[in-house]
Amino acid sequence: MTSTTRALILQPDDSRQRVIDALSRSSIEFTQHSFIDIEPISVKPKTFNDYDGVIWISKNAVRFAAQSGFSFHPATSMFAVGPTTARLAANTFGTSTRCPTFKHDSESLLDLPELLDVDNQHWLIIKGEKGRDLLFDTLRARGAKVDSIDVYRRVKRVLNDDRQVTQWMNTVNLIVVTSAEQLGYFLSSLPREAGSWLSRCDWIVPSERLRDLIPFVAADTITVTGSATESKMIEAIIKHG
């Protein structure tokens, strides 16, 4: 049976291959694009021995920290927002890394028992420039001393071909967005007349926070997966199709 779904998947370049492999086995037509380029921020190599816990915000945080020559005391507890980042951190630094079981966001990470009782502890957050402050502010409010290090920045990838947008508007009926940055850059690249197309599309997003950034779409047309992992997004796309 041929699917009527024509999906536009807005996600980082490094997630492309797994999605391509999975969806190519289905009848769903799709195209992928990223509105974000990632640039490293120069950080001096350092060994971190005096932290009770380290939080990894993303796979890019792990990669660029490793490239910068970061190392950690073997007893340091490590945490990540999602399982893909947790696995990468564990494999890269040789330390078991925990993450929330079901929903993969900062709010769920903060609900882990180890992050509830942090009074007088010293924590480090490794992230991208201009990331959310929720983890930093909440851990401080719970009595921890918190440091953060930015190891990369996101910059907008300019869409130079107007024909690409026209093609999307004429064919796409499902939009999949994995981050607020992708959504913001995507919307700012569209012409005014794209509004009616956006409102006709179904949407798949990883979180309620991202869903709330799409007020121009009926709530029942937005699917929230609870995670930005490739497997969760693929599952939602196939289920839609």
Side-chain angles (χ1 to χ4, degrees), residues 48 50-56 72 76-80 97-98 109-110 112-126 135-136 138-140 142-149:
F48 299 93
D50 55 349
Y51 287 95
D52 295 286
V54 173
I55 296 176
W56 301 99
F72 303 87
T76 302
S77 297
M78 289 192 176
F79 298 86
T97 305
R98 287 203 58 195
L109 181 61
L110 287 165
L112 292 180
E114 296 90 340
L115 276 75
L116 293 175
D117 185 10
V118 295
D119 191 33
N120 293 318
Q121 292 184 5
H122 197 185
W123 283 71
L124 175 65
I125 301 172
I126 302 178
L135 288 167
F136 186 94
T138 304
L139 291 176
R140 286 192 63 183
R142 292 174 179 176
K145 178 182 178 182
V146 187
D147 298 323
S148 67
I149 299 178

Side-chain angles (χ1 to χ4, degrees), residues 114-179:
E114 296 90 340
L115 276 75
L116 293 175
D117 185 10
V118 295
D119 191 33
N120 293 318
Q121 292 184 5
H122 197 185
W123 283 71
L124 175 65
I125 301 172
I126 302 178
K127 63 185 188 67
E129 189 177 70
K130 298 181 180 178
R132 293 178 72 192
D133 294 326
L134 178 64
L135 288 167
F136 186 94
D137 292 342
T138 304
L139 291 176
R140 286 192 63 183
R142 292 174 179 176
K145 178 182 178 182
V146 187
D147 298 323
S148 67
I149 299 178
D150 296 342
V151 294
Y152 66 95
R153 63 174 57 91
R154 308 170 190 84
V155 296
K156 181 177 181 179
R157 180 183 297 177
V158 178
L159 184 64
N160 293 315
D161 188 355
D162 292 339
R163 294 173 299 178
Q164 181 69 78
V165 174
T166 301
Q167 182 181 6
W168 292 340
M169 293 172 61
N170 289 334
T171 60
V172 166
N173 55 20
L174 172 66
I175 301 174
V176 183
V177 188
T178 59
S179 73

Side-chain angles (χ1 to χ4, degrees), residues 26-232:
S26 75
S27 60
I28 295 171
E29 295 184 18
F30 66 97
T31 186
Q32 293 177 293
H33 189 83
S34 177
F35 281 90
I36 293 176
D37 285 320
I38 303 295
E39 296 181 348
I41 294 175
S42 180
V43 184
K44 292 181 179 180
K46 186 175 180 180
T47 298
F48 299 93
N49 288 321
D50 55 349
Y51 287 95
D52 295 286
V54 173
I55 296 176
W56 301 99
I57 296 299
S58 66
K59 293 180 292 184
N60 283 316
V62 177
R63 294 189 183 108
F64 289 116
Q67 291 178 20
S68 296
F70 287 13
S71 58
F72 303 87
H73 191 282
T76 302
S77 297
M78 289 192 176
F79 298 86
V81 172
T84 307
T85 301
R87 285 193 296 270
L88 183 60
N91 292 336
T92 302
F93 295 100
T95 301
S96 177
T97 305
R98 287 203 58 195
C99 71
T101 303
F102 300 110
K103 292 181 65 177
H104 303 134
D105 54 27
S106 296
E107 290 81 356
S108 298
L109 181 61
L110 287 165
D111 285 338
L112 292 180
E114 296 90 340
L115 276 75
L116 293 175
D117 185 10
V118 295
D119 191 33
N120 293 318
Q121 292 184 5
H122 197 185
W123 283 71
L124 175 65
I125 301 172
I126 302 178
K127 63 185 188 67
E129 189 177 70
K130 298 181 180 178
R132 293 178 72 192
D133 294 326
L134 178 64
L135 288 167
F136 186 94
D137 292 342
T138 304
L139 291 176
R140 286 192 63 183
R142 292 174 179 176
K145 178 182 178 182
V146 187
D147 298 323
S148 67
I149 299 178
D150 296 342
V151 294
Y152 66 95
R153 63 174 57 91
R154 308 170 190 84
V155 296
K156 181 177 181 179
R157 180 183 297 177
V158 178
L159 184 64
N160 293 315
D161 188 355
D162 292 339
R163 294 173 299 178
Q164 181 69 78
V165 174
T166 301
Q167 182 181 6
W168 292 340
M169 293 172 61
N170 289 334
T171 60
V172 166
N173 55 20
L174 172 66
I175 301 174
V176 183
V177 188
T178 59
S179 73
E181 291 85 3
Q182 289 279 5
L183 176 63
Y185 290 149
F186 168 57
L187 295 178
S188 68
S189 300
L190 299 178
R192 183 185 300 273
E193 58 268 24
S196 59
W197 164 61
L198 295 174
S199 64
R200 292 194 305 270
C201 288
D202 292 331
W203 293 68
I204 295 174
V205 299
S207 67
E208 288 86 356
R209 182 176 72 93
L210 193 50
R211 177 194 61 197
D212 293 342
L213 297 177
I214 315 174
F216 47 84
V217 174
D220 61 358
T221 66
I222 305 177
T223 298
V224 178
T225 65
S227 172
T229 60
E230 291 95 336
S231 58
K232 283 292 187 181

